[in-house]
């Protein structure tokens, strides 16, 4: 399944944590947008 995930998080610590998690699942496209191929 191909997903585009976007988020808007104002808290720096939480945003950094989410970014690191999503980076392990897919490709970082823009500031808060990821493309992920999940099964």
């Amino acid at each position: 399944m191909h997903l585009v995930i976007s988020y808007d998080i104002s808290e720096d610590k939480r945003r950094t944590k989410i970014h690191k998690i999503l980076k392990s699942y897919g490709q970082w496209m823009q500031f808060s947008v990821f493309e992920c191929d999940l099964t």
Side-chain angles (χ1 to χ4, degrees):
M1 177 176 8
H2 188 77
L3 298 173
V4 174
I5 301 171
S6 65
Y7 56 91
D8 183 21
I9 301 171
S10 60
E11 205 174 309
D12 287 338
K13 187 175 179 180
R14 183 175 288 171
R15 185 176 52 244
T16 301
K17 185 176 180 180
I18 296 296
H19 180 86
K20 286 180 183 178
I21 292 169
L22 287 174
K23 211 165 128 177
S24 68
Y25 285 101
Q27 173 96 21
W28 180 46
M29 301 308 291
Q30 285 186 336
F31 295 110
S32 297
V33 179
F34 282 84
E35 277 187 330
C36 300
D37 285 320
L38 305 175
T39 57

